[in-house]
Amino acid sequence: MKNITAIFSAFGLDASQYLIDQSSTGLINQTFIVSDKISSKRFILQQLNTAIFKNPIAISDNIKLASASILAVDENYPVIKINPTLNSEDYFVDEDSNYWRLIDFIENTTTIEAIARIDQAYQTAFSFGKFTSLLQNANTENFIPSIPDFHHLDLRFEQFKTAYALTDDERKSKAKDCIDYLLSRIEIVNIFNKIEKELLIPKRIIHADTKISNILFDKFSLAPKAVIDWDTLMPGYFISDLGDMIRTMVCEAGENESNLNKIIFRNEYYAAIISGYKAAIQLTENELNLLSYAGKFMTYMQALRFLTDYLNNDVYYTITYPEHNLDRAKNQCRLLQVLEENT
Ligand code: GN1
Ligand code: MG
């Protein structure tokens, strides 16, 4: 970390009084856990990835709006607390135009990187459902999407078509099965367009990154304690949040698994996710009719995004070998098939 002293002093802190640990999790922002050598008080110091989050102020404004709205309903909810700089700004912008923020650390908590038990699926779904439910009085129009059209499936489909038109023959032919399969399931895009056009379901404030590692669990009781990573809070449909939980928790093997025989549907996990979510939030009749669409919607979109990145010569997702994105796309296509067979 460059300019440690300048960054700390912008927040009124003396860098020499703090221990700094880089956190290894999180692929997008750079995260440090800093602790006061004497009092042990801890903060999260983060450099926001402004290549992806082009409007940092929108993010901190969204977080503050959401906090106020949640606290009005539940004054004890562990909201994200952003510590302002001495100039009362939400970020310190360093000489290289990097955006730094200082967030309170929520003590006595632990995270789960990979789901191991059915009750964790229920708790995760309950926590994210509760989060959106607590935000139901918030005015969605006041939230600025930190990534515009993030989960707009039709736009993702357009991006795929553009990538296909520009890619070389080799990638086109290697990706052929995957492309044909997704084209054969175009109905999933059509349903999204119908939802949009006919205003079938409400726009809610969604979290848009509902993986289990974005829940803090109590270190001792292991009960869920807080929802973290509010950077993608935005108006959207419940199918994004519920669907991403189904996509990431229903199968033991994750999106990086290249052995497709390991993509197996776990009905008990699926049932736990659905019941945890439904227990936390009152869904409309149209929403209830789309429960089984949610997982297909998100899995289709993720397959399309990995495939598009492969066709674009891997410019978005970090890859560790040449066909990584293609393998991920195939993995998600298989998962989609499995979801279609079982839900
Ligand atoms: C990215 O980096 P991570 O895992 O938080 C992506 C998600 C995808 C996910 C797939 C801002 O999230 O939308 O579902 O990869 N986030 C962004 O692994 O694009
Ligand atoms: Mg994230």
Side-chain angles (χ1 to χ4, degrees), residues 6-293:
I7 297 164
F8 274 74
S9 56
F11 291 100
L13 305 176
D14 173 0
S16 68
Q17 262 188 39
Y18 285 83
L19 291 172
I20 304 168
D21 272 321
Q22 178 146 22
S23 158
S24 56
T25 55
L27 298 177
I28 295 192
N29 300 321
Q30 275 217 71
T31 305
F32 303 88
I33 298 170
V34 304
S35 25
D36 188 312
K37 287 178 187 162
I38 300 161
S39 74
S40 312
K41 171 150 176 75
R42 291 192 280 183
F43 295 101
I44 307 268
L45 179 66
Q46 236 175 6
Q47 184 197 329
L48 211 68
N49 182 335
T50 43
I52 291 181
F53 296 116
K54 298 192 168 74
N55 186 353
I57 303 298
I59 293 182
S60 53
D61 284 351
N62 289 344
I63 292 176
K64 287 189 283 188
L65 268 175
S67 295
S69 191
I70 291 177
L71 291 175
V73 189
D74 177 357
E75 59 178 12
N76 295 318
Y77 194 90
V79 296
I80 304 263
K81 289 209 187 76
I82 302 175
N83 293 283
T85 65
L86 292 179
N87 297 331
S88 307
E89 313 273 10
D90 293 329
Y91 298 92
F92 167 63
V93 185
D94 72 16
E95 63 204 27
D96 299 323
S97 305
N98 295 315
Y99 278 70
W100 293 89
R101 67 180 173 193
L102 190 70
I103 294 171
D104 272 6
F105 188 93
I106 303 178
E107 294 292 345
N108 296 320
T109 55
T110 180
T111 52
I112 297 172
E113 287 308 317
I115 181 155
R117 297 196 320 254
I118 298 168
D119 63 314
Q120 293 170 344
Y122 181 94
Q123 289 174 332
T124 302
F126 186 89
S127 302
F128 284 117
K130 187 85 195 161
F131 187 72
T132 287
S133 164
L134 286 169
L135 282 162
Q136 68 192 1
N137 297 327
N139 184 350
T140 51
E141 279 165 24
N142 292 337
F143 287 75
I144 300 165
S146 48
I147 303 176
D149 295 319
F150 191 35
H151 286 174
H152 195 296
L153 185 53
D154 197 44
L155 183 112
R156 295 292 182 189
F157 193 75
E158 289 303 315
Q159 290 171 339
F160 154 70
K161 286 200 288 191
T162 307
Y164 182 80
L166 296 173
T167 200
D168 57 57
D169 288 345
E170 196 193 330
R171 284 194 185 233
K172 227 182 245 180
S173 90
K174 282 192 168 150
K176 186 173 186 305
D177 289 352
C178 203
I179 294 168
D180 288 348
Y181 175 64
L182 291 177
L183 290 177
S184 78
R185 297 304 305 125
I186 194 72
E187 176 65 8
I188 295 174
V189 183
N190 296 340
I191 295 174
F192 175 80
N193 288 336
K194 185 173 153 76
I195 291 172
E196 281 271 289
K197 196 164 154 240
E198 297 178 16
L199 310 174
L200 291 182
I201 53 176
K203 281 259 163 79
R204 299 175 178 273
I205 298 302
I206 59 161
H207 182 278
D209 192 10
T210 52
K211 47 184 175 235
I212 192 169
S213 58
N214 278 334
I215 304 279
L216 297 181
F217 291 84
D218 188 285
K219 206 168 163 176
F220 307 105
S221 71
L222 296 181
K225 198 162 167 180
V227 167
I228 56 167
D229 189 0
W230 297 17
D231 294 341
T232 47
L233 287 193
M234 58 179 86
Y237 301 123
F238 87 103
I239 49 173
S240 284
D241 282 356
L242 178 65
D244 220 23
M245 289 190 275
I246 293 170
R247 185 183 77 80
T248 56
M249 296 197 288
V250 112
C251 168
E252 188 176 357
E255 65 196 13
N256 288 308
E257 177 59 64
S258 57
N259 179 355
L260 301 186
N261 294 327
K262 291 194 179 164
I263 314 288
I264 297 165
F265 180 78
R266 298 186 293 184
N267 193 41
E268 336 72 86
Y269 281 78
Y270 183 78
I273 298 164
I274 300 279
S275 66
Y277 198 76
K278 277 170 73 182
I281 183 168
Q282 184 146 19
L283 298 172
T284 66
E285 205 180 317
N286 281 344
E287 285 178 318
L288 289 171
N289 291 333
L290 288 166
L291 285 176
S292 86
Y293 173 69

